[in-house]
Amino acid sequence: MKIRRAELRDYPVLADLYLEVRRETFSWVPAESFKFEDFHRDTQGELVWLAESGAQPVGFASVYLQSAFLHSLYIDRKAQGRGIGSALLAHVIRTTRGRMTLKCLTFNRLAQAF
């Protein structure tokens, strides 16, 4: 697995991943509430790190650097359980100076378990 800074050419694939995982994970929210465009809005002004297995994107993390806030950590459902989230989190911690913060929704049991 390789972690690198996401480029604009990666964003359509990451937007698909973001949409798919949110629709599956946030089951208490109507699936149609989530849109392809959400990724672009939600990561605006953030540094996005991409995890790849071969040439296939399998996850990403986005960080709002001004406040060292880990805003998003999403892993393709088919790739979960392989240490990708842990590797992305470790990478973000190594490359971000100072203390970091993050949030986790109460209903998101998978995120809480992670």
Side-chain angles (χ1 to χ4, degrees), residues 17-66:
L17 187 150
Y18 188 56
L19 179 62
E20 180 182 322
V21 174
R22 289 172 74 210
R23 284 182 172 169
E24 293 174 359
T25 302
F26 302 125
S27 58
W28 61 92
V29 178
E32 62 274 5
S33 299
F34 302 115
K35 307 287 184 216
F36 179 82
E37 300 79 25
D38 293 348
F39 175 81
H40 301 284
R41 180 198 65 220
D42 294 347
T43 60
Q44 187 173 6
E46 297 181 348
L47 174 58
V48 180
W49 293 104
L50 167 66
E52 294 177 309
S53 180
Q56 180 67 36
V58 290
F60 74 91
S62 68
V63 181
Y64 185 64
L65 291 175
Q66 291 178 337

Side-chain angles (χ1 to χ4, degrees), residues 101-114:
T101 59
L102 59 86
K103 68 177 179 180
C104 180
L105 298 174
T106 304
F107 291 118
N108 191 347
R109 302 287 186 222
L110 291 174
Q112 287 182 14
F114 173 75

